[in-house]
Amino acid sequence: MFLAIRELLFAKTKYILIGLIMVLTASLIFIISGLAQGLSSDNASVIQDLQADALIIEEGAEGEIGNSFIPADEREKMIEAQGGNNNASTLAIRMMNTTINDADQQIDIALFATERNGILMPDVAEGMFPQKADEVLADATLKQEGVRLGDQLQVEENTSYTVTGFTADQRYSHTPVVFISNDELEQFNAVAVQGEANTDGSYEVITKETALNGIPSYSQEQASLNMMIIFLYVIAAFVLAVFFYVMTLQKREQFGVLKALGAKSMYLIRGLIGQVILLSLISISIAVVVTFGIGALFPADMPFTLELETMLQPAIIIIVVSTIGAIVSLYQVIQIDPIEAIEGAAY
């Protein structure tokens, strides 16, 4: 490591340029990761945070909750089969338009109908928990549309609900979720179950992961962004491999002198790898600061979510990719002949 640090300090300009490339690459990876996580949350946070281990849906729905339709008269029987209301709740999803206090502006919402005191109702972040059939709990992002506590949401000509409370991070298919009571519904889409689900042959059990992939555009969005991130990792590996390969060739004479003085190949290799890891750690630290700075400039309604814990995995991958890129040049270090390298430097 002594040799690595000495060279970093000696050839500052060269390594600053390499570090700048790593900072830009890492920042781009972090930003795209934040967008991927933000879009994932904006598209399916209500399913991700669902207080259930499995979902029972209609056979043949192919994992899509919206394609499942279960008659209301099956509710009691299916809930009892799962051990009662403490273990299961029904769920109906309706994508609808609503107006606020009879205004002309229409807002897209996702109505989630379930038992008022069931396992699927989220915690209240502001206001009061709904107590009546015409009271609802709404996602806090509706505040950006002007919704306030006590406002009336009209979803049909003769149907309106009073917003008594707001909850946090409850989004479905890029729309805010409004939780209502399912007392008057004629059918529902699924039964959410805590623990092991029991069902007969006319229904199937799916996991939350399957339900997530069943949301329209969810898997396509994530696949596209993840492919971009993978390509950035590959690009970073190639760029760093070329940089360190060329730099190693430029230092053949110096390595030859060190070998002539008794330095072992493993000593030189440890120095090279230590150099890459140290440079990666410094660059990633700067990239983290840059990413949070850029993230602070994004508008509030932009789906961007990034925390230090979620940046750990990309950071580790970047270090590994950088190290792999540098390993390409190790063959040159091992093959250096001290006499040839010194004679070559003489000419």
Side-chain angles (χ1 to χ4, degrees), residues 17-249:
L17 291 175
I18 298 175
L20 180 60
I21 292 174
M22 294 183 69
V23 168
L24 294 175
T25 304
S27 298
L28 188 55
I29 291 174
F30 289 150
I31 290 172
I32 295 178
S33 298
L35 289 173
Q37 186 173 350
L39 283 170
S40 173
S41 179
D42 192 66
N43 202 354
S45 60
V46 67
I47 301 297
Q48 292 169 342
D49 299 335
L50 209 63
Q51 298 299 309
D53 299 310
L55 294 161
I56 301 175
I57 61 174
E58 184 183 15
E59 186 76 26
E62 298 181 349
E64 296 189 28
I65 299 177
N67 291 342
S68 171
F69 300 99
I70 304 173
D73 55 17
E74 294 280 315
R75 178 189 305 170
E76 297 299 328
K77 181 180 70 174
M78 295 184 71
I79 290 180
E80 283 300 320
Q82 313 310 318
N85 291 319
N86 292 330
N87 297 323
S89 285
T90 58
L91 174 63
I93 303 174
R94 303 288 185 272
M95 305 301 295
M96 308 189 73
N97 293 327
T98 183
T99 58
I100 309 170
N101 299 327
D102 294 326
D104 294 332
Q105 180 186 3
Q106 290 194 338
I107 304 171
D108 294 329
I109 61 171
L111 282 179
F112 269 51
T114 185
E115 284 77 17
R116 188 179 300 113
N117 297 315
I119 62 174
L120 299 185
M121 290 295 285
D123 296 330
V124 179
E126 179 184 349
M128 297 177 57
F129 195 84
Q131 300 297 322
K132 301 177 182 178
D134 62 347
E135 294 179 345
V136 297
L137 186 62
D139 181 64
T141 55
L142 277 174
K143 292 181 182 180
Q144 299 173 9
E145 304 292 342
V147 178
R148 300 292 181 265
L149 293 174
D151 282 351
Q152 297 288 317
L153 300 181
Q154 186 169 358
V155 296
E156 294 176 348
E157 185 176 352
N158 298 317
T159 305
S160 62
Y161 299 98
T162 302
V163 178
T164 62
F166 288 108
T167 185
D169 300 323
Q170 300 296 317
R171 305 271 298 179
Y172 180 81
S173 195
H174 301 297
T175 55
V177 174
V178 174
F179 289 87
I180 65 173
S181 172
N182 65 355
D183 296 337
E184 300 179 1
L185 294 183
E186 297 181 357
Q187 62 184 13
F188 55 94
N189 300 109
V191 176
V193 182
Q194 289 182 342
E196 185 176 355
N198 301 307
T199 183
D200 56 35
S202 57
Y203 301 102
E204 64 175 316
V205 179
I206 62 172
T207 63
K208 285 201 295 184
E209 185 66 28
T210 302
L212 285 173
N213 292 325
I215 298 174
S217 78
Y218 178 84
S219 57
Q220 292 86 347
E221 282 181 354
Q222 294 302 302
S224 299
L225 291 169
N226 289 334
M227 184 62 67
M228 293 173 63
I229 294 172
I230 291 172
F231 271 115
L232 284 173
Y233 287 138
V234 174
I235 291 169
F238 273 106
V239 170
L240 293 171
V242 170
F243 265 112
F244 283 103
Y245 185 79
V246 171
M247 290 173 62
T248 303
L249 290 179

